[in-house]
Amino acid sequence: MLFRSLRAKIKQALTFYQIATRIEGIYLVTFPPEVQALLAQISLNINFSIDGFGIPLSCLGLDSFYYKLAFMMTWPLIVVASVFLGFILWTFFVGQRRAGLELNVVGVIKEGMLQGLPVVLFICFLVFPVVSTLAFEGLDLCDPFVISTNPETQAEESISFLMADYNVVCGTPAHTEVQALAAVAVMIYPIGIPFLYGVMLSRVRETLRARRATRFSEALGFLHRDYEPSHFYWEIVEAYRKLFLVSAISIMELWSVQEVKKGSILQMLTALAFCLSFNVIKQVLTPYRLLDDEYFALACDVSLVFVLVFTMLLKVNDLTESKIGENSVIDFVTKTMEEQFKIDMFWLTVGLFIGVVSVLTFLSVVAAQQITKAARVPIIRLRASRETPLFKLAPTEKWHLFLSHVWGTGQDQCATIKRQTSIMLPHASIFLDTDDLKDIGALEEYIDQSRLIMVFVSKGYFLSRNCLRELNHAVASHKAIALMYDPVRGGATLDDIYSKEVPTHLQHIFKGRDMITWHRIKEFQQISLKLLATQIVAACELGRSRKQLKAHKSGKWQRDKNLLRSE
């Protein structure tokens, strides 16, 4: 649960550093030594490039760009195949026996691949920018060098080398081989990975929009769980943003955008304008499910813009300090212009350092807060798998729980119930009128689309026309019903409500059902929520007994008799 709460933030931080660690090579700028050392250490931990391990490439037979690209595009595929094979074997020999399943060969392969898919998606996330950048470098421009000049015609004879590997002469068979391999790598990584994301997400889009869960949608959680169901595709958008900033922008000259040369100020301005525009769009769409993820994404985006601005200033400083003969360019301008363009390297270093470190600092602070918060939150899990329950719903159903209440004496309590139950049962979808009601005339349809109807018994509930519409339809539809009562702020005693307000034809709902008491003291309130969570699980017909459930609290597994009692 802790990793899931931090997953979006970790991905955002990794994306920031995947871009920041490649800025020097993409924009042909040299960072100050202090920033270089910091980024080199970060790059070693996140980019998984063999250059970063200090091993001479010649020792591995990878001294040419061709063999380096071949190795970098091949090893992730081998790792992915090994992960799938490992999970399939584990499922065959261990997993199915632990889960009490008997699967045929196809079932074992399917279950093993579903279990390995989250790991594979994380590997793809890590290698995508690294291999994509290398693949585009194979399609990079050639750098011409003049080798002679005809004294009569003044015509220049030149030879061009591939910028990614100056041992490769452009136009030769070796150059053609590099381009062919780079094209294959582009098809597999920059094009293939986002395409596969799209294909897999399209298979579960209706499930996600209906806020239901299946084994496949859960296995794809790395791609969609951090986003709103209406923006389940946002991981693909983030992948292409990263691709543009670390790869595509470096070869825009190949796309007939001659003005945007590699290493030019205009290239950096293009990247900066792209980042700012993307940030505005993201703030308008607000794709993240949690508000704190939106804030952390904004912090990462601002830090990236901050780094790009200081990188541009560093580029300007390189120009002013470049040499013409024995003099610097700054020596040829007036004193006023020198004051305007001269930049103190100390402040450039400080600014870049702050921009790079800020995201790691934000992540550390948020992680500490999440760890503290997670230790206090109870989570309902299945004993067999130690996973949170996956709830079954009929194709016509959308919500696992419908909170039926009257506003005057039940609104605040039900808002708290939804918020806290969503934490205890992360996969549960809960209907609350203030969040989900679009048409007051469709109350019966909302009831039909819900599995369990929780009636918050309070003063005025049975006198409300709309509340009676909900309850009467639930009874007529034979829906599962749970009852909850607040003895402090319910407005009246339970006996008074029953004798004075409950219609005769509805009094039978109180017979044979336990009344859950709503408490305001935190420790007792958790018991109330656990009792409700147990009824949600039972209503969703998981095919398991309540003894397979256990509460996870403060990092330890423990049983709660109130939660686990038999029906």
Side-chain angles (χ1 to χ4, degrees), residues 271-324:
L272 186 59
F274 175 82
C275 285
L276 291 171
S277 302
F278 187 88
N279 295 348
V280 170
I281 293 172
K282 186 154 66 171
Q283 291 306 306
V284 171
L285 295 179
T286 58
Y288 288 96
R289 189 188 297 266
L290 300 178
L291 188 60
D292 56 345
D293 288 341
E294 292 283 359
Y295 290 151
F296 191 84
L298 179 61
C300 291
D301 294 339
V302 170
S303 295
L304 181 59
V305 170
F306 196 73
V307 170
L308 287 174
V309 168
F310 273 89
T311 303
M312 191 179 305
L313 292 176
L314 190 61
K315 196 79 173 177
V316 173
N317 187 68
D318 289 344
L319 174 64
T320 60
E321 293 186 353
S322 59
K323 297 288 185 179
I324 300 179

Side-chain angles (χ1 to χ4, degrees), residues 276-477:
L276 291 171
S277 302
F278 187 88
N279 295 348
V280 170
I281 293 172
K282 186 154 66 171
Q283 291 306 306
V284 171
L285 295 179
T286 58
Y288 288 96
R289 189 188 297 266
L290 300 178
L291 188 60
D292 56 345
D293 288 341
E294 292 283 359
Y295 290 151
F296 191 84
L298 179 61
C300 291
D301 294 339
V302 170
S303 295
L304 181 59
V305 170
F306 196 73
V307 170
L308 287 174
V309 168
F310 273 89
T311 303
M312 191 179 305
L313 292 176
L314 190 61
K315 196 79 173 177
V316 173
N317 187 68
D318 289 344
L319 174 64
T320 60
E321 293 186 353
S322 59
K323 297 288 185 179
I324 300 179
E326 296 183 354
N327 299 315
S328 300
V329 171
I330 202 71
D331 296 332
F332 294 91
V333 300
T334 64
K335 185 67 174 176
T336 302
M337 293 186 66
E338 179 181 353
E339 293 174 352
Q340 291 175 345
F341 286 93
K342 186 67 175 179
I343 303 174
D344 192 331
M345 277 299 298
F346 172 78
W347 293 113
L348 274 180
T349 303
V350 171
L352 280 169
F353 200 86
I354 291 174
V356 170
V357 172
S358 59
V359 172
L360 194 58
T361 304
F362 294 152
L363 182 61
S364 300
V365 172
V366 171
Q369 293 177 339
Q370 293 288 349
I371 290 172
T372 303
K373 181 179 178 181
R376 301 173 180 173
V377 177
I379 303 297
I380 304 300
R381 299 182 185 273
L382 296 174
R383 178 180 295 279
S385 63
R386 294 192 175 185
E387 293 292 329
T388 51
L390 287 178
F391 300 103
K392 295 180 180 179
L393 287 177
T396 57
E397 292 177 327
K398 185 175 181 180
W399 293 283
H400 302 96
L401 176 64
F402 184 102
L403 298 177
S404 181
H405 63 284
V406 66
W407 278 29
T409 52
Q411 182 64 33
D412 293 342
Q413 298 94 317
C414 284
T416 302
I417 291 169
K418 177 174 182 178
R419 182 173 62 254
Q420 296 300 325
T421 304
S422 297
I423 295 174
M424 297 179 71
L425 295 172
H427 304 311
S429 56
I430 302 173
F431 182 98
L432 182 65
D433 52 5
T434 53
D435 298 332
D436 305 292
L437 181 65
K438 294 182 175 59
D439 181 6
I440 192 67
L443 287 178
E444 289 79 7
E445 295 179 20
Y446 295 137
I447 295 293
D448 288 335
Q449 294 172 351
S450 303
R451 176 58 64 93
L452 174 67
I453 313 302
M454 191 210 78
V455 176
F456 195 86
V457 179
S458 63
K459 183 179 181 179
Y461 177 88
F462 293 95
L463 302 179
S464 167
R465 177 176 174 272
N466 289 326
C467 290
L468 289 179
R469 283 175 57 194
E470 296 168 358
L471 184 53
N472 283 327
H473 191 72
V475 171
S477 303

Side-chain angles (χ1 to χ4, degrees), residues 486-501:
D486 183 354
V488 177
R489 296 188 181 179
T493 65
L494 190 58
D495 289 339
D496 285 345
I497 295 173
Y498 182 84
S499 61
K500 297 179 181 178
E501 298 185 6

Side-chain angles (χ1 to χ4, degrees), residues 41 101 136 146 193 204 213 228 337 443 498 529 531 550:
Q41 188 61 41
L101 302 174
F136 278 112
V146 177
I193 288 180
V204 297
E228 290 286 353
M337 293 186 66
L443 287 178
Y498 182 84
L529 292 168
L531 289 170
K550 55 170 55 178

Side-chain angles (χ1 to χ4, degrees), residues 41-55:
Q41 188 61 41
I42 295 173
S43 178
L44 179 64
N45 290 289
I46 68 170
N47 282 331
F48 299 97
S49 177
I50 52 177
D51 306 47
F53 291 99
I55 303 174

